[in-house]
Each structure stands twice: as structure tokens, then as C-alpha cells.
Amino acid sequence: MNLRRASWLFMLVATVALLVVGVVRESGPLTQQDRIDAIAQRLACPTCSGESIYVSRASAAEALRAEIARQVAAGQRTDDEIIAYVEARFGGQVLLVPRATGLDALVWALPVAVLVAALAALTAAFVRWRRRDASLLSDDDRAIVAQALANNDD
Amino acid sequence: MKRRRVAPIVSALVGVVMAGLLVILITADPPQNADTFSPLLGQPAPAVVSTTLDDDAFDLARRKGSWVVLNFFNSTCVPCINEHDELLAFHAAQQNESEPAEMYTIINDDNDDAVREFFEKNDGEWDKVRDHDGAIAVSFGVARVPETWLIDPNGVVRTRIAGELTTGLLDEQLADLRRQFGS
């Protein structure tokens, strides 16, 4: 039983460790094309429905990709600054990834808050059920179980 | 006993969250009119440096001192063709003004020959500016043509009209703006 628990614990620790390493590790220097593609994947095509400018062949998407390429080649703006430049002209609807500030932050915070609340409620419910189950046994019940176990040993 | 205490607390919490979301919904800014709104309104116009169809240099910053009309155009776009008579009438009316607005066509995703052919056939004695790679369209946030923009003599963006111009709309808009911001 202890060995089983230990192996589950080991798997949990290993999974968390791999996830953490995957998220925080340095991915190495990006090429200019990598940067252009990464930015293009974060922006919606203004004339299409639900497509990023990375996949869209619309002329507006092509013009935006060309602008991103120009700005990346100029090397004067970060990825976030280039996205802010596009947002300042086309509006917030071109952002495929919602901002983590202001009201938009609710999109990120609410699911986490609901998950935490649900886990807390489940934990509280399990604890209560366990207590109630334990309290359902009377002394007579316990005596019967003890008697049965004793008979079984014989 | 304990259960009786938990249920009202949970209900109250859910109620508070719902009320909070309702308040946010009510107090949030109303959606902007997509045909006229732009984050650039009231801001200095983006830099526009290019060449005209006649191969002359064009720099929007040098146009300061008069009202400027930029019309984003493509010779195959039906609303652009439909509104052409309106632009001709506006341009003709401006020539009678003491300080006429300057008008420019910004060529959007089109080739020089097609644009030349269109204007030879349909008139329009104003400069047509090339837009390499759609850089000017992106700097103004133009995704579809036609779009018409009005820029004041100080180089500040004042009006955006997305879609086909209706009769007299451009004259009315410019007259209103001249009253508000001077000529």
C-alpha cells in the first residue's frame, strides 16, 4: 500500500516538475520569421471570421503580415509593442489572446476562481460524508462486526 | 445545523458575484459604431509617405494647412465604383471653396494600370497614391474598401466613413467639421 502511494506521489512530482520545466525553460533565440509567425498567430484577421492572420489569405491579413515583417526587421519594437500598434489602429477585436488587465482579466481569473471554489466545496462535502458515515455505526453494529471477524479468524 | 448555515452563505456569495457581473455589464462602455469609430479619431494622422501614379513624391505631413480627404479605393470593388460620382461631385464643389479640401485616392491592393484605366474612363482629377504592401491601409486600420477619412489642417484625424458614401454625406461632414475646428 505504501509502495503504491509512493509511486503515485513520484508520478505526480515528476509530472509537475516536467510541466514547470516546459513552461519556464529558455527556448533559445527566435529567428525573425519565428517572431513574425508568433505575432501573426496572436492577431485575428479583420475581414474573416475566427481566423488568425497567420492562416488567412485575405488581403487585409497579408497587409498586416507585411507590416509585422517590416516592424520586426526594423527591430525597434517588441512583440507586445507591435501587437499594441495593430490594436491601436484596428481596435481590441483583433486580439486573439485576451489581455490580462482591466475587465478582460476576468476571462483568465473567473475559470480559476470557479475551479478553486469547486474543489473546496467538493473537499468539504467529502469530509462531511466521511464523518456522517462513521457516525452511522452504533456500538451494537461495531459489536456485530467484531463478533463476525472473530468467528472468521476461528 | 451546519448545513443550514452553509447554504445561505453560498447563495449570498453567488448572488454577490452575479450582481457584480450585472453592474459591470450595465456600466461598461456601449459598443462603438463600427462604420465610423476608429481609435485614431482625435489623434495625429499616421505618417503617409509614398508616390503617386504620376511618380511624384507624396508625404501627408506636407499637406498640413488644409483639410485632406483620403479615399481608400480598389478599381474592382463595387461600392468604390458606386460612390465615384459622389466623389466627383464633392471634388467639383470644393473647387468653389476659398480653401478647398485636398483629395487623394489611396490605391488598395490594385495595380497601376487598372487604376489608370478606371480614372481615364470615369474622370477624377486628383492624385492617386500607391500603397505598397498595404502599409498605409494598416496604419489607418483599413481592412475593407472603400473607406474615406477626413484630416484637419493640423494633421489630426477627424472622421472615418467605412463603406460606400451616400449622397451629400462627405459635404455635410466636412461642413460640420469646418464649423467645429475651423477651415
Side-chain angles (χ1 to χ4, degrees), chain A residues 28 54 68 102:
Chain A
Y54 178 72
I68 293 166

Side-chain angles (χ1 to χ4, degrees), chain B residues 26-84:
Chain B
I26 291 168
T27 57
D29 292 335
Q32 308 281 359
N33 185 343
D35 291 340
T36 55
F37 177 75
S38 162
L40 289 177
L41 295 180
Q43 303 293 319
V48 177
V49 180
S50 185
T51 54
T52 67
L53 265 191
D54 300 326
D55 292 323
D56 295 325
F58 177 82
D59 184 351
L60 182 61
R62 290 181 170 274
R63 310 265 65 87
K64 277 186 181 174
S66 54
W67 283 89
V68 172
V69 177
L70 298 181
N71 179 253
F72 290 81
F73 164 91
N74 178 294
S75 63
T76 60
C77 125
V78 174
C80 302
I81 297 166
N82 290 344
E83 72 174 11
H84 190 67

Side-chain angles (χ1 to χ4, degrees), chain B residues 122-139:
Chain B
N122 298 286
D123 290 337
E125 295 298 317
W126 56 82
D127 282 333
K128 294 91 194 172
V129 179
R130 295 187 179 104
D131 185 6
H132 304 288
D133 288 337
I136 303 173
V138 169
S139 67

Side-chain angles (χ1 to χ4, degrees), chain B residues 92-127:
Chain B
Q94 284 301 307
Q95 304 318 303
N96 299 325
E97 295 275 341
S98 57
E99 293 178 72
E102 296 183 24
M103 199 163 134
Y104 299 94
T105 287
I106 308 293
I107 303 165
N108 184 265
D109 193 26
D110 206 344
N111 68 71
D112 290 0
D113 290 341
V115 177
R116 272 197 198 95
E117 191 182 327
F118 177 89
F119 280 92
E120 277 167 13
K121 195 171 157 190
N122 298 286
D123 290 337
E125 295 298 317
W126 56 82
D127 282 333

Side-chain angles (χ1 to χ4, degrees), chain A residues 47 59 63 70 88-90 103 132, chain B residues 39 109 133 135 138-139 141 143-144:
Chain A
T47 56
S59 67
R70 267 192 296 277
R89 280 146 181 81
F90 289 86
L103 273 185
R132 194 171 55 188
Chain B
D109 193 26
D133 288 337
V138 169
S139 67
R144 280 192 184 91

